[in-house]
Amino acid sequence: MYRAEIIANQSVQDDIVEVLEENIPGILYTTVPLVTGRGKDDYKLGTATWPETNFMMISYVEDKYKDSLKKIIAAVKEKFPDEGIKLFFVKGE
């Protein structure tokens, strides 16, 4: 089992949720709708100076879905290359 964390611009949240629900049977997840901070290239602080914000999705996925999830997110990143989409995995027990 893996803990998958997806962090991306809020503008692509619906696209990511939709493609995951279509491609990973019975996926369960939690979204944190308003995430602020600093990424590699810029800030997402929800302020007048840095107005954009991110969201975060957390899902625990079985080992057999890890590669599928990586491919799905890679495809979304190709479609939206400037939205700072990141995927992280943590191996669970």
Side-chain angles (χ1 to χ4, degrees):
M1 173 106 18
Y2 286 90
R3 175 184 166 123
E5 296 180 8
I6 301 167
I7 301 171
N9 190 295
Q10 279 189 325
S11 65
V12 296
Q13 180 175 346
D14 290 341
D15 296 275
I16 290 173
V17 169
E18 181 179 331
V19 74
L20 290 177
E21 288 183 350
E22 289 174 355
N23 291 283
I24 299 183
I27 189 168
L28 303 174
Y29 57 85
T30 298
T31 57
V32 181
L34 181 62
V35 177
T36 60
R38 179 181 177 187
K40 182 178 177 183
D41 297 324
D42 62 358
Y43 294 87
K44 305 281 172 106
L45 301 176
T47 65
T49 304
W50 303 99
E52 295 185 33
T53 56
N54 284 336
F55 82 100
M56 180 170 62
M57 174 185 279
I58 301 165
S59 181
Y60 290 87
V61 295
E62 295 178 35
D63 295 9
K64 66 183 180 182
Y65 293 120
K66 182 183 179 194
D67 289 338
S68 296
L69 185 53
K70 287 169 84 171
K71 289 176 186 173
I72 290 165
I73 296 303
V76 175
K77 286 172 85 168
E78 280 185 34
K79 185 176 178 184
F80 302 104
D82 299 323
E83 300 307 327
I85 302 167
K86 303 294 184 222
L87 170 63
F88 304 96
F89 287 106
V90 177
K91 179 73 173 159
E93 300 279 329

